[in-house]
């Protein structure tokens, strides 16, 4: 059976900036496949190449076994990160217009629109103007538009960005239902819990490359060990964090250790299984007169996979990006 999506050695640059650098993916029919990475990692460029919206510099892209752009668009639905709706039209009118653009036969449009409205639980809002829709309703209508032509593959770019948790959970349930109906779903996100909850397999992307790929369980098990996150006080001096780390890193159950400056110089320990790890750390700190602000233990996450591969968490990178953008904005204002 042909892969639902096949990407081999994909490259795409914008001027001097290399957005995608030799990326390869293979997504089997009926999977929910996640692309996880920070903003600017190359996720959106990759899916725009898959959806034939951007032409790669080189590489192979096949969807449903097809490489021709027209054939790919026939079997693929795409829902962009930004919701683009006409505020004057009702939900029903917008979908009817979208159906006509898909060249769906006129006799089928009415039934098709009613079907997708019911699928995304929007039938009762069908005759309301979309300008009055909440953010969650707009996202569901956008999903309905992407399903009008009954695609075999659905590509979603950050489908729940900006939505409240309740609406996100509704979208998650909807995507699981689509998978049960046999639709292959490719989803990009920088929400760790979203990919962990939904994806059968995940590719973690950084700087246009796949740095890890597998099931969420496999990737987390390869990192190994629980995590201890230790905060001495709400905002700890770097030197104090380093001194405390020296006391803790040689404990027999500690496999590796680091300081995270984006979390107030918190100490992050990777440990082998030990039911008394927390009490032993507490004991060392008590003997040295170190008062702990917080001490938590957790299982490995996909962010730990990213941290192991790159030396930074996704949050670290996005904070650095935000700071760089703010500094650039200040420079422009001075000029």
């Amino acid at each position: 059976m042909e892969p639902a999506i096949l990407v081999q050695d994909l490259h795409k640059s914008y001027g001097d900036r290399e957005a995608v650098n030799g990326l390869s993916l293979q997504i089997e029919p009926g999977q929910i496949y996640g692309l996880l990475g920070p903003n600017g990692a190359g996720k959106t460029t990759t899916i725009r190449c898959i959806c034939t919206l951007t032409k790669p510099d080189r590489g192979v892209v096949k969807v449903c076994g097809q490489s021709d752009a027209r054939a790919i668009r026939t079997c693929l639905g795409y829902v962009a990160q930004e919701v683009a709706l006409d505020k004057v039209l009702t939900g029903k009118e917008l979908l009817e217009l979208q159906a006509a653009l898909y060249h769906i036969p006129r006799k089928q449009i009415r039934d098709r629109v009613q079907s997708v409205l019911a699928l995304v639980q929007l039938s009762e809002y069908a005759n309301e103007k979309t300008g009055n829709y909440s953010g969650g309703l707009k996202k569901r209508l956008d999903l309905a538009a992407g399903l009008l032509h009954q695609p075999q593959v659905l590509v979603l770019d950050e489908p729940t960005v900006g939505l409240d948790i309740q609406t996100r959970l509704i979208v998650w349930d909807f995507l699981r239902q689509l998978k049960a109906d046999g639709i292959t779903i490719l989803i990009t996100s920088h929400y760790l819990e979203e990919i962990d909850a939904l994806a059968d397999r995940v590719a973690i992307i950084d700087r246009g490359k796949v740095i890890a790929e597998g099931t969420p369980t496999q990737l987390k098990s390869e990192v190994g060990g629980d995590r201890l996150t230790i905060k001495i006080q709400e905002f700890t001096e770097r030197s104090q964090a380093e001194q405390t780390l020296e006391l803790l890193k040689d404990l027999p159950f500690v496999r590796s250790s680091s300081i995270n400056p984006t979390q107030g110089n918190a100490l992050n320990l990777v440990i082998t299984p030990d039911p008394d790890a927390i009490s032993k750390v507490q004991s060392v700190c008590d003997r040295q007169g170190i008062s702990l602000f917080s001490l938590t233990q957790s299982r490995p996450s996909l962010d730990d996979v990213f941290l192991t591969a790159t030396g930074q968490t996704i949050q670290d990178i996005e904070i650095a990006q935000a700071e760089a953008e703010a500094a650039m904005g200040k420079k422009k204002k001075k000029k």
Side-chain angles (χ1 to χ4, degrees), residues 74-126:
T74 301
C75 76
L76 179 145
Y78 171 55
V79 178
Q81 179 175 340
E82 296 296 329
V83 175
L85 302 179
D86 188 317
K87 296 179 180 180
V88 175
L89 297 178
T90 66
K92 178 173 172 285
E93 289 170 341
L94 188 138
L95 290 178
E96 288 172 343
L97 174 61
Q98 192 77 18
L101 294 174
Y102 276 128
H103 303 293
I104 295 171
R106 184 175 295 180
K107 291 180 180 179
Q108 297 179 18
I109 287 178
R110 182 172 177 272
D111 288 343
R112 194 75 65 83
V113 168
Q114 288 180 345
S115 175
V116 295
L117 282 170
L119 186 63
V120 299
Q121 301 175 18
L122 282 180
S123 298
E124 64 181 293
Y125 304 98

Side-chain angles (χ1 to χ4, degrees), residues 62 99 164 180-181 229:
K62 288 186 177 183
D164 61 80
D181 292 338
T229 302

